[in-house]
Amino acid sequence: MIEIAKLIIVAFILIGAFFHLIAALGVIRLPDVYTRNHAASKAATLGVLCILLGTFLYFYFIHDHFNSRVLLGILFMFLTAPVAGHLLGRAAYHSGVKMWGQNGPDDYKEYIEIKKSEKYQEYEAYRKKIEENIKAESK
Amino acid sequence: MAKQVLLNVFLGFMWMFLTTTYEPVAFVKGYIFGLLIIFVFRKFFDSRFYLYRVFSFIKLALIFIKELIMANIAVVKVVLKPKMDMTPGIFAYPTSLEKDWEITTLANLITLTPGTMVIDISEDKKILFVHAIDIKDAKAEIDGIKESFEKAIMEVSRT
């Protein structure tokens, strides 16, 4: 029983460390802020989750100690990491960071221009256009 | 929903007082009987039987975990690929969800979906701006996933 628990604990901690390595590699290798943000926010979340879960299981099975703080840490990490990624991406866009690659579409730019000029009718037309685009694609 | 849970707790305490045993086991027993009573009288409440909502919430949490794992496998593939040949882009996604917490949950789910991240939400809360790591294969496939997310979230919030 203890041996199986040990195997599971080792698996969790190693997988967590692996995802952290991938996150670090992604931050070095990927070309711009947004893609790096993808790697950092996703891989690091699951990495921390796995390591914390491994720690929790270690203390629970080997030392017979139920540590609820680790579980709360997992929950908070789960809720806050995507929000942090979202805010970083938004702040980067608004301070004028360009996306890598020339041919990618950018619907957000149009929206910001409409918002700056404060023309509500143009915004309505823009929204209709987007909805029609989505409908045409799903057909 | 809160009304039904409160009533169920009240019925649990009622069972404890009726049997004059003041232990957690008696409370749990009373809670289960109370659940049965509320199920029988479900048509007198203005919202549906609350266990359905609890189940759909658990389903949403499971989708959340599954998507997190899938997204990480996708990230591993992108990072370890020798050639960087993707085309990143931002596309607009109109949503039909209305309440603030629903939109927040949808945004968090999209951020944890393979290859997508929410950049901003329009001021009238009707369009999400999503950054995709590779726009070509992302768009069609991701629309389908989001349909299932929106459905799962609506299932929780339905009265």
Side-chain angles (χ1 to χ4, degrees):
Chain A
M1 182 61 205
I2 292 286
E3 292 304 314
I4 300 169
K6 273 181 187 164
L7 276 180
I8 294 170
I9 291 161
V10 166
F12 265 124
I13 291 178
L14 283 182
I15 290 170
F18 172 72
F19 277 122
H20 270 130
L21 180 69
I22 290 294
L25 270 180
V27 170
I28 296 169
R29 271 203 77 196
L30 290 170
D32 69 344
V33 179
Y34 307 102
T35 45
R36 281 176 184 167
N37 203 355
H38 274 276
S41 70
K42 278 171 205 161
T45 316
L46 194 66
V48 171
L49 268 165
C50 283
I51 287 181
L52 282 181
L53 208 59
T55 316
F56 171 77
L57 290 176
Y58 172 76
F59 279 107
Y60 185 64
F61 281 114
I62 313 292
H63 292 279
D64 223 7
H65 165 65
F66 186 92
N67 197 335
S68 52
R69 276 180 221 165
V70 177
L71 289 184
L72 274 183
I74 291 175
L75 181 73
F76 289 148
M77 195 68 210
F78 212 41
L79 291 178
T80 51
V83 180
H86 160 72
L87 283 176
L88 281 174
R90 190 171 185 276
Y93 197 97
H94 281 276
S95 45
V97 179
K98 293 265 187 319
M99 272 193 293
W100 175 79
Q102 311 297 304
N103 40 6
D106 193 350
D107 293 341
Y108 190 40
K109 203 171 162 188
E110 213 174 320
Y111 168 72
I112 289 180
E113 270 161 19
I114 291 170
K115 208 172 116 186
K116 260 186 200 155
S117 60
E118 287 178 354
K119 284 172 187 157
Y120 193 70
Q121 285 161 333
E122 273 182 32
Y123 174 68
E124 284 286 296
Y126 167 72
R127 217 182 79 204
K128 263 179 199 147
K129 194 188 86 192
I130 280 168
E131 272 165 11
E132 272 160 21
N133 278 354
I134 293 277
K135 263 181 202 163
E137 260 167 40
S138 58
K139 260 171 198 171
Chain B
M1 177 177 173
K3 220 199 296 177
Q4 289 183 40
V5 175
L6 208 62
L7 184 63
N8 205 343
V9 170
F10 175 72
L11 284 172
F13 276 114
M14 186 75 109
W15 180 263
M16 276 163 78
F17 286 124
L18 279 175
T19 54
T20 60
T21 42
Y22 307 107
E23 281 156 7
V25 182
F27 178 74
V28 170
K29 220 192 250 175
Y31 196 88
I32 291 166
F33 285 134
L35 215 58
L36 266 176
I37 291 168
I38 288 174
F39 182 71
V40 170
F41 286 98
R42 65 193 179 281
K43 79 171 212 190
F44 296 104
F45 296 103
D46 45 6
S47 56
R48 70 203 160 117
F49 182 52
Y50 79 92
L51 265 198
Y52 292 140
R53 200 182 274 192
V54 173
F55 283 140
S56 46
F57 182 76
I58 292 169
K59 206 170 129 196
L60 190 66
L62 289 181
I63 292 176
F64 214 77
I65 292 168
K66 194 193 112 201
E67 287 305 323
L68 182 64
I69 293 167
M70 299 291 281
N72 274 285
I73 293 167
V75 163
V76 169
K77 269 184 199 157
V78 168
V79 169
L80 295 183
K81 205 163 59 177
K83 241 172 84 185
M84 293 278 153
D85 54 355
M86 66 269 192
T87 44
I90 297 177
F91 66 90
Y93 173 77
T95 177
S96 51
L97 297 174
E98 275 158 7
K99 283 180 207 130
D100 280 356
W101 72 265
E102 291 172 342
I103 296 168
T104 312
T105 317
L106 182 70
N108 277 1
L109 273 171
I110 291 173
T111 301
L112 293 178
T113 315
T116 50
M117 175 168 291
V118 176
I119 293 291
D120 202 0
I121 297 164
S122 73
E123 230 153 55
D124 60 350
K125 298 171 193 162
K126 280 191 178 130
I127 302 173
L128 300 178
F129 296 96
V130 184
H131 178 270
I133 205 163
D134 197 351
I135 203 110
K136 274 176 295 179
D137 56 70
K139 242 181 166 178
E141 179 189 352
I142 281 160
D143 277 340
I145 298 169
K146 263 177 291 179
E147 290 293 306
S148 72
F149 287 165
E150 280 202 19
K151 236 189 200 164
I153 293 170
M154 273 177 181
E155 195 67 28
V156 176
S157 68
R158 203 183 63 186
T159 53

